[in-house]
Amino acid sequence: MVKYEVEFLPASGLKNLQTDRLKNILRYIADKIPFYKQLFKERKIDVSKISSLNDLKYLPFTVKSDLRDHYPFSLFAVPLSEVVEIHASSGTTGKLTVVGYTKNDINLWSEVMARTLLCAGVIKGDIIHNAYGYGLFTGGLGFHYGALELGVPVVPVSSGGTKRQLMLIEDFKSTVLTCTPSYSLCMAEEARDMGMDPSKTTIRLGIFGAEPWTEGMREQIEKEWGMLALDVYGLSEIIGPGVAMECPAKNGLHIWADHFLPEVIDPATGEVLEEGKEGELVITTLTKEALPLIRYRTGDIVSITSEPCGFCGRTMPRISKIKGRIDDMLIIRGVNVFPSQIESVLMNIPEVAPHYQIILTREKHLDRMEILVEVVEEAFSDEVRKLEELERKVLYEIESTLGISVKVKLVEPKSIERSMGKAKRVIDQRQ
Ligand code: DLL
């Protein structure tokens, strides 16, 4: 298999490469994108004066609404005649966020996805069962391009049709599963219903991302499937999947910083934080053509380290597993709550399934949180007393972790809607 030497550059080599690329992309952006041209003029920024990575902090941030305000194509740096592919992602509000790729951008995406697969440990002889959605979502095609680049067969099954997916895995003897972590659990559940043991399939490795998932969920997936489950990170605005990937050490995600320059900032003040501190991930694309972005605020909460990986030796910086999104953070009666905290608690209670939903309502001006928790088949009982006991236990564990009072409602096995893509955990009915 190929080895991408750039991932093993000494710190100084990487910095020089990033600095050169930063200077180039700034000149390109200032020349090609009217939005940035105007912004630089207003802020009196002369990009030719930016000469080091330290100067990055003088540049303005780009945010998701900048993309929406230029819907669909006005932020593109190239004419549409040079764009070969268009994707879009839906957020919680209104319009789609549209992203475009030139031929070179697709080559770049193929490269970073090939690197992502290699980093996860994909080898010749593997067969990738790709159950990320193909379509406007970047998951399906991103993995597809990576597999083509690496020369490993990919089954472009996309999401949905779970029974058929399982049949194909058995018949093709696929070895790598790519989909959202929640969908992998949904597949395992369906497999057991069909009398099939997912841990007896040929799947040995899973590359899961596109939504937050806890270490507890990882353990559960690994146990269900008898596989190694690794975390992949990315976002359409930057390229799609292929921004950062865990190696089998599971000790942070290697970010492909020769193309995507990371910073971690305090989301409240915008100050750049020192390594190790948790904050919002900000990315500058160094080599993209159609939609280059400067200091894009991802909304994702991470910390970063530039310590080389003791396991694989890669020197690219590593980000921690994503803790959640800034806008995921729920403020309930003044207390900050992340859905991941609730997931961590549930994963440690064997009588409940890893499927849950958080419902927010407002009664008499006070926020209320109700958590629907699915009981596993084996623990579901006709005896009310037993269920009440379990409900009290779940309630106690959640309240002691969150420090606020909540309501817990146990629900029957398989009653919470399963998602083929990103799971919808929070239903906010407060408006
Ligand atoms: O979710 C790209 C992707 C596809 C990544 C397949 C990984 C695998 P978007 O639909 O634009 O792109 O959503 C991006 O999803 O800002 C994060 O909030 C979240 N996200 C992505 N990967 C992870 C992850 C794709 N590993 C948004 N852990 C991002 C937690 C993730 N959240």
Side-chain angles (χ1 to χ4, degrees), residues 365-379:
H365 308 292
L366 267 192
D367 291 338
R368 308 251 172 224
M369 181 189 269
E370 182 176 40
I371 305 159
L372 306 186
V373 180
E374 228 181 73
V375 181
V376 294
E377 206 82 60
E378 306 81 68

Side-chain angles (χ1 to χ4, degrees), residues 207-226:
I207 307 179
F208 303 123
E211 63 183 7
W213 52 309
T214 55
E215 286 299 335
M217 185 134 160
R218 177 182 347 240
E219 275 169 34
Q220 180 119 11
I221 295 172
E222 292 193 327
K223 197 170 94 217
E224 281 288 326
W225 280 93

Side-chain angles (χ1 to χ4, degrees), residues 89 132 137-139 143 208-213 231-237 240-241 253 298 300 322 325 422:
S89 69
Y132 282 111
F137 176 56
T138 51
F143 274 85
F208 303 123
E211 63 183 7
W213 52 309
D231 196 2
V232 58
Y233 170 76
L235 62 165
S236 4
E237 298 91 310
L253 289 80
T298 64
D300 295 315
I322 283 81
R325 291 187 52 80
K422 297 178 193 246

